[in-house]
Amino acid sequence: MAKSSAYTAKAPQPDGRIVYTEEENLVWRDLYARQEANVRRWSAPEYNVGFDRLALPADRVPQCTDVSRTLTALTGWKVEPVPALIGFSKFFGMLANRTFPAASFIRSRKDFDYIKEPDIFHEIFGHTPLLTDERFARFSEMIGKAGERLEARDYSWLIRLYWFTIEFGLTHANGGYKALGSGLASSPTELPYSVESPDAQRRAFDVIDILRTPYRIDIHQPVYFVLDKVDDLFKAAERDLAADIRTAQSRGLFAPLYPVKEDA
Ligand code: FE
């Protein structure tokens, strides 16, 4: 998780709505227009069903209050604006309460193609479609609840399970790979790369292997984990994840498949 952000959170008004400038709304419009065809092609059916359910506005930044109304009716989740970066403890606590923490700013044109930290395009366009599905809603809640029971030193182990599924997971669908992850749904370059590139490794979904796999947030992932069927993910939420973390710790981390950087 990045330690600093070039962006400032946008605070909601008393009615919960956030004021976006004309230019910020145009950035959303252009990001949405570029990415819609991509998710239709490369994202998993479960993502696209959720995307249709939400019917996000194409021409302006959605309001968390509006998205929450739809989500709450479907799965009891809501989206809450937070500062650009929050700690793991707060993150897990919010997930445990079916509240998705959303960075409220939107990237500037200079970061149009790639932004390291999550912005509202990633949070809403990337994450909320899966939260319309009770199975992903429950999985995310269970990650939060498992996190709440851990010591802080174990947070970085559990977060890998979230990272390699909800953020960057793949699944088999329609005879090929499809992207499940929100980090893929919101990235115009990593979405096709994750599904099609011969340079990426694709390993079978395995909780212990995932917990042992280090990652970097600022590069296309060198390895993805592929669910055979999406239901395999939900079985993982019923496991004793604290025991899985101890198993993973006793076996140790895999060697990174990327150049190691100090802040990785
Ligand atoms: Fe994310």
Side-chain angles (χ1 to χ4, degrees):
M1 190 169 274
K3 299 287 189 291
S4 64
S5 171
Y7 290 93
T8 310
K10 291 177 79 79
Q13 303 178 128
D15 65 359
R17 303 183 81 77
I18 292 173
V19 178
Y20 291 98
T21 65
E22 181 63 20
E23 168 59 12
E24 287 170 331
N25 283 321
L26 291 174
V27 169
W28 173 278
R29 180 198 68 182
D30 295 346
L31 287 166
Y32 184 106
R34 178 176 65 175
Q35 199 64 348
E36 186 183 7
N38 291 342
V39 294
R40 297 297 186 199
R41 179 168 175 192
W42 286 299
S43 286
E46 291 79 4
Y47 172 90
N48 279 297
V49 166
F51 187 76
D52 289 337
R53 276 181 186 150
L54 282 171
L56 298 170
D59 61 342
R60 60 176 169 80
V61 184
Q63 292 291 331
C64 291
T65 46
D66 294 338
V67 179
S68 292
R69 198 171 309 120
T70 309
L71 280 182
T72 300
L74 292 167
T75 58
W77 273 76
K78 60 183 192 291
V79 181
E80 196 170 296
V82 293
L85 300 162
I86 60 171
F88 287 138
S89 169
K90 181 166 182 188
F91 178 72
F92 290 133
M94 290 178 76
L95 293 190
N97 287 299
R98 294 205 168 206
T99 303
F100 190 77
S104 54
F105 72 90
I106 191 159
R107 70 193 73 182
S108 64
R109 294 268 173 200
K110 119 179 121 46
D111 295 327
F112 191 80
D113 289 332
Y114 176 76
I115 180 170
K116 183 164 132 183
E117 65 258 60
D119 71 344
I120 191 123
F121 183 73
H122 167 73
E123 312 284 34
I124 302 285
F125 192 99
H127 277 283
T128 57
L130 291 185
L131 290 172
T132 67
D133 182 322
E134 173 54 30
R135 301 169 304 166
F136 290 98
R138 176 161 173 74
F139 178 78
S140 301
E141 177 192 355
M142 294 309 286
I143 290 277
K145 289 191 162 144
E148 283 187 319
R149 292 191 293 267
L150 294 178
E151 302 286 338
R153 63 173 179 270
D154 293 332
Y155 289 164
S156 63
W157 289 80
L158 179 63
I159 204 70
R160 293 190 196 105
L161 182 56
Y162 189 82
W163 182 265
F164 284 111
T165 58
I166 294 293
E167 294 283 359
F168 289 95
L170 297 182
T171 183
H172 288 287
N174 308 329
Y177 298 116
K178 293 286 176 188
L180 263 183
S182 56
L184 301 172
S186 63
S187 169
T189 54
E190 190 162 0
L191 179 56
Y193 164 89
S194 67
V195 170
E196 294 189 340
S197 173
D199 296 333
Q201 275 191 34
R202 296 177 189 82
R203 301 187 59 189
F205 176 79
D206 179 279
V207 172
I208 302 294
D209 283 352
I210 286 174
L211 296 177
R212 299 177 64 199
T213 304
Y215 64 84
R216 253 175 67 176
I217 68 167
D218 59 342
I219 52 173
H220 287 183
Q221 301 301 304
V223 57
Y224 299 95
F225 287 88
V226 187
L227 287 156
D228 207 23
K229 45 191 186 317
V230 165
D231 282 346
D232 293 344
L233 180 62
F234 313 121
K235 285 188 210 134
E238 311 302 330
R239 295 167 65 109
D240 180 348
L241 293 172
D244 287 336
I245 287 169
R246 287 193 296 278
T247 302
Q249 287 169 337
S250 71
R251 295 182 193 172
L253 286 178
F254 291 124
L257 296 170
Y258 48 78
V260 176
K261 257 183 32 166
E262 247 182 29
D263 67 347

